[in-house]
Every structure is written in C-alpha cells, then in structure tokens.
Amino acid sequence: NGKLCSVDKANVLDVSQLWRDIVIARHQHFSQQYTDAPKVELSHMYVDNAAMQLIRWPKQFDTIVTGNIFGDILSDEASMLVGSLGMLPSASLGNPDAPGVFEPIHGSAPDIAGKDLANPLAMILSAAMMLKYDLAQPKAADLLEKAVDSVLQDGKRTKDIASDDSIIIGCEAMGEAVVEAIHSLAASS
C-alpha cells in the first residue's frame, strides 16, 4: 500500500528524536533519488500508541520500522494476531545495496532445539521474503508462500497453532509437508 509507519518514543527519549530525524531524512533522500519508484507515505507513531493500534486495527499498517527494542516488543505482540511467534517472518534491512538478515521473529528458539517442537513456517516465510526482497525471485517467493498456505489449508499444524480439528505434526513433518506442497504446486503450474 506504500505506507511506512516509523515507531519511536520521541516525546520522551532523546535517542528516539534522533531516530525520527534520521527516518525523515532517509525518506526524503529516497523520495528524491528514486523518483520513478512508487511513493511511500511516511507516518510516525509513539510506541505505546502503536502497541494499542496493532491490537485495535492491525490492517492500518503496511510496514513498520522501528529500533530493536521496540521492534522486539511489537513483533511479539503482533505474533498473537496470527496465533504464534512461529508464524511471523522478519527482515532486518539497512543499506539497499547490502543483503538483509531474514529470520523468524522468535529467533533460533534454543529452548526447544532438537525436540521436534518448533514451528518452521516463520523460517520458511522468512526465506520467501529473502527471495522476494534480496534475491529478486518473486515467483519462487510466491511458490513458498503458496506451499505454506496449502499445508495450512490441509489442516496440518504444529502444536503452537493447533486447534481441536488440526492434524498436529512436528517441525520435521511440517517441513516435509511444505516441500511436498512445493513439488505439487510446481508440477501443476
């Protein structure tokens, strides 16, 4: 939708005012440098209001940019809108000429490593973001996203997103189900 919301606490924290000033300057720079690119509307919101607005009306947001501390809090909160930390991909993007870092918002989940409990979908969706935004492979990204959707439509769930009528599977089986869906979708296209 071309909407970018910068979240800070510039009314209280000096460092947030610096953040806001830099965001404004970068927005102006990119708007002037990339005149052929679609226009991006920049808005600002204080973090406490952003936390409330995410619950109240999440569809008002297209893209949120914020510092690490506020981002950690808001992404954990936003994960509950989709049911689990295991469902949300993330990207840390900086210099447009340098690669980004793509990972699930939950990080590596070391407390459940090796127990076949993790939900791999956020990592798979993070890979789709990497394909789309860093590697200029939108068709491959779309295939990954459709494969995840297909597996979820089949009722397969890891424990963290299961409901009463779900087919509960582990991390490894979920990954295998997505691979099978990729092959099936690729063969039908």
Side-chain angles (χ1 to χ4, degrees):
N1 296 337
K3 291 171 32 176
L4 175 65
C5 180
S6 173
V7 174
D8 59 44
K9 193 65 176 162
N11 61 333
V12 177
L13 300 173
D14 288 341
V15 71
S16 277
Q17 185 58 56
L18 174 62
W19 169 271
R20 185 175 286 207
D21 293 345
I22 290 172
V23 167
I24 291 168
R26 298 305 297 166
H27 180 260
Q28 289 172 344
H29 170 78
F30 285 113
S31 295
Q32 293 167 356
Q33 184 172 354
Y34 300 101
T35 56
D36 294 340
K39 298 298 177 209
V40 175
E41 174 189 331
L42 175 63
S43 64
H44 301 276
M45 192 176 288
Y46 296 137
V47 67
D48 44 350
N49 185 31
M52 179 191 67
Q53 294 295 332
L54 268 173
I55 299 302
R56 182 179 161 270
W57 185 31
K59 289 185 177 184
Q60 71 182 290
F61 298 104
D62 182 15
T63 303
I64 295 174
V65 61
T66 191
N68 186 269
I69 292 173
F70 297 151
D72 282 350
I73 294 165
L74 294 175
S75 62
D76 283 3
E77 177 189 32
S79 73
M80 292 299 97
L81 297 171
V82 296
S84 169
L85 283 170
M87 292 300 297
L88 288 181
S90 75
S92 297
L93 305 172
N95 180 342
D97 298 323
V101 175
F102 300 86
E103 63 181 347
I105 66 164
H106 59 68
S108 62
D111 57 319
I112 59 173
K115 297 179 183 177
D116 200 34
L117 296 174
N119 182 337
L121 297 181
M123 188 65 242
I124 293 166
L125 293 170
S126 294
M129 289 177 73
M130 179 180 66
L131 286 165
K132 187 181 297 182
Y133 298 115
D134 258 14
L135 301 177
Q137 298 289 321
K139 289 181 182 176
D142 190 50
L143 181 62
L144 281 182
E145 291 168 352
K146 286 180 179 175
V148 168
D149 287 344
S150 174
V151 169
L152 293 173
Q153 289 295 321
D154 289 344
K156 295 176 183 170
R157 303 283 191 277
T158 49
K159 188 177 178 180
D160 62 311
I161 57 170
S163 59
D164 291 339
D165 58 343
S166 299
I167 302 164
I168 300 174
I169 59 178
C171 177
E172 188 173 336
M174 181 62 84
E176 290 169 358
V178 172
V179 169
E180 289 173 20
I182 290 169
H183 290 302
S184 176
L185 290 164
S188 67
S189 60

